[in-house]
Structures are given as structure tokens and as C-alpha cells.
Amino acid sequence: MDWGCSHLQLDSPPYASDGYRLLLQALTLIPIWHYLLAAAFALITFLYNFLEIHFLEDFLSGFSGSPVTFTYNSCCQIYEGVVSKCRILQGTYLVTPWLSSPHLQTVFLNFFGRPPVFKYRRQLFNTPDGGTIALDWLTSSDVSGRAHDTDDVETTPIVIVIPGLTSDSSSAYLKHLAYHTAKRGWKVVIGNHRGLGGVSITSDCFYNAGWTEDARTVVNYLHKENPMAPLFLVGTSIGANILIKYLGEDGENIPVAGAVAVCSPWDLLIGDRFITRRRVQKFYDKALAVGLQGYAKLHQPHFSRLANWEGIEKSLTIRDFDNHATRIVGKYETVDTYYRRCSSSNYVQSVSIPLLCISALDDPVCTREAIPWDECRANKNIVLATVKHGGHLAFFEGITASGLWWVRAVNEFLGVLHSSPYMHVQKKISTPNTLLDSSIDQGPYVNVTEDGMVAALNNEPTTDNVEEIHVIQDELVGNTKDIHHDGHDKVPEEKVNKQDEVVANTKSGDSSGVAQTASAHNAVPLDVITPFKRYIGQLSRQNRWSIWLLVYIAITTSWPLVGSALYVVFGKKLKNILPGGLVRR
């Protein structure tokens, strides 16, 4: 017995030194598929957290979906009279189970999206500075294949869509929106940004996150061409930022009945910090930077002349591109200055029309940190609807992910608003807002707007013959209201893909109108008193008390000087007339 114990004691050191060898031998006895299973579990756990997947959360809740949370003013009639009657917004949103991640939804939307198949009708619109915007129209007859009763009705509502960054009418989410809106019997027009939609840049003016002049010009033109049709605006991503900024700039003086902003970035400076914070966000930063570089390469002659082309080619992030291109073209001191001035959160308090804002709290591009909760709550015209999941412009629903929830929500909101008494009606303002006035036709100077965009100015729009249908915006010069554009169709019949050539010549109509007006003005004799009398008459009609107040102020302020002059002139006569004691006094 003692011998056995001593034997164990003598042999124990070799076994202790070979412990790791024995452990490795034991590990080799475990089947290889156990290791693969453990590695798969670890990978799934990592991806589940990295991609922010919430499938288990949805499963444990019985796939009941998440309700929509609303932020609005206690006196908001838009919520009580419109949003509260929207069944989709008052319900819940359930994500497609196999896309239970904001990143999976966003990537799936951009690479697949499953958009409906149809063809737009294209209209080329010329801006006053010589730029070209592609307006892609879609009506109910385009999606149904047969003529519809509402196509030619003057009161048929028109939905104007402002796309996101580097997006155009061919983007999947815009096709979803256009198709389902037109299917309801409404007209849809997508205002592509300059240089997108297959259209060349024809001026030195580019779009950016705060460039609202194009939206304003298109809205005013469509309102002029369709005065009886209600106009609604829908902005997506950067287009939502432009939309909110435009609404805040113009306030009540806007011919828009209502608007919807989907996945707005709100604060560009916060968004810039957010998109470079985590590795997964940096993927979107790089992808968007590549898209901006592709946009710049399409118009390299303009960017190489106006911006830093070498820096554009080396740009790895959105901030790099903005530093070498957007900031330089827009004449901003720094990139942060550009982000601060163009953030729509600064204009939320000035929005004066019904506005629905839809945002996903798990948006991987536009962070929830930038949402101006208090500003939205303080404005009685805004209703902020936030959903727990949805990604960026995705919100896929159904087992096959064939539809976008926000598209249905937008159409329902606009439909209820259209049938309610809460649609906005433009209030005419006699004096224009000097902060937003454009000197775009006061050439030959360079126009630098508050947005920072620079445009070469022309004395009049270009009216050369071009292919496709062109629309030249009327210039209001004096009383030349007779200028018209015959031969400009509101919605051309040619399809985009047919590439039919239609020449629109507007020189003859415009030149005759301008010549007649100029000759009429030259025939009027020079008269200085008549304009002065007219001005006094207008001023007195506007406020009769103001005239007498001005007269009183003029007399009281000038009396010491006038009295002294009268005393010098009539002093001797006063001595003869008045008693001596009074004169001495």
C-alpha cells in the first residue's frame, strides 16, 4: 500500500507537466461539428447585436408590432382633425420578420426594393438661372393602362416629391410612393435634383441639403399652371430637410395645402457626428460618399472648374466631399457652417402649414438624437410620428416585403387632410420676404443666396430650341403680365424611354410681348408729380392716420428752424405790429 502511494508521488510530476497535452488530446475527442455549432452561435450573437436585429423581441411579443408615438401641441387641430382619423397611423407597424433589423431593411431597399413597374412622363423645366430640372409625372392612367376620369380634372390633387441625397425618380422607394399615390387617382410629380435623373447640369448652380430655391420655383410654377388643384409636398431624407426648411422660410405665403417629411436628418451637424461614430454607420458614410463622387464624375467639367476636383476624388466620407465641393461652391466658411445654416431644425418653429413628420427611432443614417422634439411640440401645425423600427426610408411590411408602411401612411394622411377643412390656403403677402428674394435675373453679377449657392446670372431665360419639352418660367418685369409661353405642355405625352424629339420654341411669343410692353412704356411722357401723388394716395388709403402722424412729426421737429427763419424775415414787421413790451419779451 505504501509502495503504491510512493509510486503515485514519484509519477505525479510527469503527469502535471503534460496537463496541457492531455487537455488538447481531450479537445480532439470532441466532434468537429460541435465546434462549428459554437462558432456559428458566437457569430450569430455578434451579428445579432451588431446589426441590431430584434427578431426575438418581435417573437416574444407575438409579432404584435410597435405602436406609433405622436408628439404634438395640445392645441394642434391637425392631430385632432386629421391624424386621429388615420387608421394606419393609429395602428401598429410590424416589420417583415426576415428583415428584423434597420440595417437589413435599409440595404434591402437600396439593392432590391421590389419597386412596381411603370413609366414616367418627363417634362424638362428651365429655372431662371439657366438650370434644368427633370419633372417626372405619373397619373392614374399611367399605372392602370387606361384613361382615368381624374386625369384631366383641374381639381385633381398634385403630390410633389423631393428626393433624397443622390436619389432620383428611378429609386425604389420613390417608385413605391409614386405608384400607390397615382393609383388613388392623384397626380404625382417627382422633382429630380439638378444633375440627376439623366439630365445634365446647365448652370453653375448645384443642389445641396439646404437649397430650397428649386422647390420654391417648381411649386410656384405648378400652382400657376394648376390654380384649382391642391398641391401637397412629400420630402424624403435630405429632401425632407429641404422641405421643412422651405416651409419655414416661406411661412404662410406658400401655395401648398399640406406636407409630409419622411426620415429627415433634422440637424446636419449632429448627423455628421453620428454617421462617423460606429463602424456600421461608417459603412453608410462611405457608401453615400461613393454616390456623391459618382454624381460629381457625371458633371466633372463643372466640378473641376468650381470645386477642388483632386479632393473630390480622394473623398472617403460625406464630410470630405462637402469640404472639397459643397462648401466651396456654396461659399461657406467651413463645413460646420454649412451644416448649421442648412439644418431644418432651425426652421421648425416657422412652419405654418399642416406637416406630418415620420421618423424611425432605429434609423441608421438619420439619428433620433437630431429630432427637435420640443420644437415640434411647440408648433401647432406639426405632428411628429415616430416608430420604434423601420430603418431609413424602408418600413417593409408583410411576409414578402412587398410594400412600404410609410407610403400607405403618407397617402392616408394626405387623403384625410384633403377631405378636411384643415388644408392650408395661401395668404397673399403684398411685400415679399427680403430674406428670400432672389436676384437671379439681375445680371451680370453672381448671385449668392443665403443658402450659400452661387449661380451665374442671366438677364433673361434661355429660350434656345432644345430637344424634349421645355418650360421657361415667366419673368415679371414691370407690368408685363402679357408674356406667355404658347406651346409648352404641362405634361408631355412622350414617355421617358421613347426619346421622341419635340421642339418647343418660345422666342416669338416672349419677344413680341416684351416689345409691346417696352413701346408702351416709352410712349409715356416723363412725369414726376404723378407717381408722387399716386404713392401718397396709396399710403393714405392703407392707413389714413399715418399721414397725419407724419405731418405732426414733421411740424414739431422742424418748427425751431422754421420759426427762427420767420423771425429773421418778418422781424421788422412784427415790431411795428406787435406792442413793444411783447416784442422785448
Side-chain angles (χ1 to χ4, degrees), residues 422-443:
Y422 300 104
M423 285 197 305
H424 173 261
V425 178
Q426 183 180 15
K427 294 183 179 180
K428 301 296 182 180
I429 299 178
S430 57
T431 57
N433 190 344
T434 57
L435 187 64
L436 304 176
D437 281 347
S438 175
S439 58
I440 211 163
D441 52 357
Q442 298 177 1

Side-chain angles (χ1 to χ4, degrees), residues 75-112:
C75 301
C76 180
Q77 295 180 340
I78 307 303
Y79 179 81
E80 298 297 336
V82 180
V83 177
S84 62
K85 300 179 181 179
C86 296
R87 181 183 55 84
I88 297 175
L89 289 172
Q90 295 298 325
T92 59
Y93 165 62
L94 177 61
V95 185
T96 299
W98 48 277
L99 291 176
S100 299
S101 164
H103 307 290
L104 294 179
Q105 287 210 65
T106 304
V107 172
F108 186 82
L109 174 66
N110 286 272
F111 287 97
F112 304 98

Side-chain angles (χ1 to χ4, degrees), residues 400-509:
T400 60
S402 58
L404 306 182
W405 174 85
W406 70 266
V407 171
R408 294 197 302 122
V410 167
N411 283 326
E412 183 185 36
F413 170 79
L414 295 180
V416 176
L417 177 62
H418 178 245
S419 59
S420 72
Y422 300 104
M423 285 197 305
H424 173 261
V425 178
Q426 183 180 15
K427 294 183 179 180
K428 301 296 182 180
I429 299 178
S430 57
T431 57
N433 190 344
T434 57
L435 187 64
L436 304 176
D437 281 347
S438 175
S439 58
I440 211 163
D441 52 357
Q442 298 177 1
Y445 304 104
V446 174
N447 178 34
V448 182
T449 66
E450 186 180 355
D451 296 327
M453 296 301 296
V454 179
L457 304 180
N458 301 324
N459 291 330
E460 59 183 6
T462 304
T463 56
D464 296 337
N465 293 339
V466 293
E467 296 182 358
E468 293 286 349
I469 297 296
H470 287 245
V471 177
I472 314 298
Q473 185 186 15
D474 294 343
E475 291 188 84
L476 300 180
V477 183
N479 295 326
T480 59
K481 295 183 178 180
D482 294 334
I483 299 178
H484 59 279
H485 300 280
D486 297 335
H488 292 305
D489 296 334
K490 179 174 61 179
V491 182
E493 294 298 327
E494 286 73 22
K495 300 286 186 177
V496 175
N497 297 353
K498 289 185 178 181
Q499 301 296 329
D500 292 340
E501 297 182 356
V502 180
V503 178
N505 190 347
T506 61
K507 286 186 176 181
S508 58

Side-chain angles (χ1 to χ4, degrees), residues 237-249:
S237 191
I238 287 295
N241 188 82
I242 295 174
L243 166 64
I244 298 173
K245 186 172 180 288
Y246 163 53
L247 298 181
E249 288 175 344

Side-chain angles (χ1 to χ4, degrees), residues 24-60:
L24 292 175
Q25 290 179 353
L27 292 176
T28 58
L29 298 178
I30 300 177
I32 187 74
W33 67 271
H34 286 187
Y35 290 104
L36 296 177
L37 184 63
F41 179 78
L43 179 62
I44 291 175
T45 303
F46 170 77
L47 292 178
Y48 190 90
N49 292 277
F50 183 77
L51 298 178
E52 303 176 54
I53 299 175
H54 47 85
F55 177 81
L56 292 179
E57 177 185 348
D58 296 340
F59 176 77
L60 294 177

